[in-house]
């Protein structure tokens, strides 16, 4: 995984995922995000692969961008096409996925705990707060 910073789109996997979102028809973009959340939460207590976790965080950032207090996704590595208004039902699914990313066994959590883990976790928690409060 090529990672250059702690943001939701500051790695190769999230940048690639942005292309997946862009390629989806407008009426299916919310389904792409929801599928990502469900894949992460569907791991239950099993080991969570870092790529899945990264995609869930990127998806959560896209949902949070449409919430009060959410930061817009302005990075060149995010989706190039604007997203339609996303259904509010995505927010609890995003919160649940972020919660799963932040507990063991989670490869991404392990990787970040080896370096700038606290700053990265704070960013994920901020996303969660925006999503839960919306």
């Amino acid at each position: 995984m090529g990672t250059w910073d702690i943001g939701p789109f500051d790695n190769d996997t999230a940048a690639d995922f942005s292309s997946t979102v862009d390629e989806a028809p407008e009426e299916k973009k919310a389904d792409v995000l929801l599928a990502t959340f469900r894949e992460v939460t569907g791991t239950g207590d099993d080991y969570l692969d870092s790529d899945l976790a990264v995609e869930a965080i990127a998806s959560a950032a896209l949902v949070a961008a449409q919430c009060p207090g959410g930061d817009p996704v302005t990075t060149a590595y995010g989706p190039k096409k604007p997203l339609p208004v996303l259904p509010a039902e995505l927010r609890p699914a995003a919160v649940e996925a972020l919660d799963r990313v932040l507990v063991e066994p989670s490869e991404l959590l392990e990787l970040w705990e080896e370096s700038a883990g606290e700053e990265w976790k704070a960013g994920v928690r901020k996303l969660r707060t925006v999503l839960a409060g919306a």
Side-chain angles (χ1 to χ4, degrees), residues 52-103:
L52 291 177
V54 163
E55 290 178 359
I57 293 169
S59 295
L62 294 172
V63 176
Q66 295 187 3
C67 296
D71 294 328
V73 175
T74 58
T75 176
Y77 302 104
K80 307 291 184 251
K81 299 175 184 175
L83 292 176
V85 174
L86 298 170
E89 294 78 29
L90 286 178
R91 296 171 188 170
V95 168
E96 188 178 353
L98 293 178
D99 287 345
R100 175 61 189 89
V101 168
L102 291 174
V103 296

Side-chain angles (χ1 to χ4, degrees), residues 103-123:
V103 296
E104 294 291 342
S106 170
E107 182 181 21
L108 188 62
L109 178 63
E110 291 171 9
L111 291 169
W112 277 109
E113 286 183 338
E114 294 172 3
S115 59
E118 290 308 312
E119 190 177 0
W120 171 80
K121 283 191 264 186

